[in-house]
Structures are given as C-alpha cells and as structure tokens.
Amino acid sequence: MTRADGIAYKSLNIYFSSWFSLGMSVYTLNEWSASKDIISFEELTRLSATLKSWYALCLSSLITMGSAAQIHGLLDYQSRADASFAVACGAVSWVIAMCAVLMHYKILRCCNITAGGMVELTTALLLCLWLMIGVATITKDGGVAATITGTPDCDVEDGRVPGSNLFLSSWGAFLSSLSITVRWKAAQA
C-alpha cells in the first residue's frame, strides 16, 4: 500500500493507518513475548543506551534504501540522480548501523566499537553529517522526497515525482543518528 505511487498516497488516512497498524502489531507482539518471558525489545537493547537508536537507524535506513530503489525506475533522468543518492544514503547508513548492532552483541569483531567509545561517537557524528546532506538533498523543493504524497499526477515526462516513504524515512534516519550522538554520554556511563 505504501510503495511509491501506491494507493496510500491517494488518501493519507490509508498511509498512516497502515503504518500505525504495523507499529501496533509489533508493539503487541513485543508485549506478549515479554509477558510469556520470551525475549522482548527491551531485553535486546539493554546492553547500551545507544542500541535502540542504532536499531531505529537500521530500520529507517533500510526503508530509505528500499523506497529510493523502488522509485528510481519511475523517474526521469534528472530525478534519478537524486534517487540514486537516496539509495546510497540508505545503503551506507544501513550497513554502518547493522555493523554497530552486531558489534554491540560482539557478533562482528572487525572494529572495536564499544558502548560509549570514541569510535561510536565518531561514527555517529559522521553519520549525522552524511544524513544531513542526504536529507537536504532529497527533501529539497522539487526533490524526490519533497513531500510524502509527491507531486500531483505523477508523469515521468513532466518531471513529477510519485509519493513514497522517502520523506519520513530519511528524516527518521537523520534523527536516529542525532539520538545516537546525544545518548553517547549515557552509554559511556
């Protein structure tokens, strides 16, 4: 429903209710698993104050990458460059976030990212810069993610852009990277 130029962009009630339904399903599953003493999101993320934000960055970057890749084929040549950049923003931040999550669990040991360490802070600051440039580029006026709904009557020849998840997911990724930076001091303690 929320794919680029899908039915959810004809009525934003469908868009927000579908995402809300997904969120409530995940919340209900988490609450149920916690009540049955099965692993919950709180148990997964209690290792570090920044781990929840790394998960949020991972998810929002994955949505950014997927949405930008899906919209890429619907755009004219000039807009495809912005869509390609959005794919790159999502891919780079997803890979880094996934590595950070795996390093927190000590599954991946190629770098020494520890909770509250200087490598984590430097990585988060570089991601903030990278995603700030990404958000500024793809959400600019006339950009591929200027709005949630896109431009009316999407037509490739007129350079119009269909609605997609890019606007919210790119902002979500940027805000997640800011959250990692802000929570870094708490993770250090």
Side-chain angles (χ1 to χ4, degrees):
M1 287 187 292
T2 64
R3 66 177 171 71
D5 206 28
I7 188 69
Y9 300 100
K10 307 293 183 217
S11 170
L12 284 180
N13 289 334
I14 298 170
Y15 181 85
F16 288 112
S17 65
S18 62
W19 279 108
F20 181 75
S21 296
L22 176 65
M24 291 309 296
S25 298
V26 170
Y27 173 79
T28 303
L29 178 63
N30 182 55
E31 291 296 311
W32 176 82
S33 64
S35 71
K36 300 293 183 191
D37 203 24
I38 302 172
I39 196 158
S40 67
F41 192 67
E42 181 62 36
E43 291 173 348
L44 280 174
T45 60
R46 68 179 172 197
L47 293 175
S48 166
T50 59
L51 195 51
K52 286 181 186 175
S53 299
W54 282 114
Y55 270 109
L57 178 60
C58 191
L59 179 63
S60 56
S61 297
L62 186 63
I63 293 170
T64 299
M65 179 177 59
S67 295
Q70 197 262 328
I71 199 174
H72 191 274
L74 302 173
L75 300 173
D76 63 353
Y77 182 74
Q78 184 176 2
S79 298
R80 282 186 183 171
D82 284 347
S84 296
F85 183 67
V87 169
C89 280
V92 167
S93 56
W94 179 77
V95 167
I96 292 171
M98 195 64 177
C99 288
V101 167
L102 294 175
M103 286 179 200
H104 273 82
Y105 293 124
K106 300 195 185 322
I107 295 171
L108 188 62
R109 296 179 183 255
C110 65
C111 297
N112 192 15
I113 292 183
T114 57
M118 288 306 293
V119 174
E120 183 179 36
L121 178 64
T122 305
T123 304
L125 288 172
L126 289 173
L127 277 171
C128 283
L129 181 63
W130 170 249
L131 292 169
M132 184 187 328
I133 293 167
V135 165
T137 301
I138 65 177
T139 64
K140 68 184 176 195
D141 184 30
V144 294
T147 66
I148 295 173
T149 57
T151 54
D153 301 323
C154 174
D155 185 7
V156 173
E157 293 161 3
D158 291 340
R160 297 186 177 170
V161 178
S164 69
N165 295 312
L166 274 176
F167 181 82
L168 292 176
S169 65
S170 61
W171 273 104
F174 174 64
L175 294 174
S176 296
S177 67
L178 283 177
S179 176
I180 293 165
T181 307
V182 169
R183 292 173 185 249
W184 173 77
K185 188 65 174 169
Q188 195 177 35

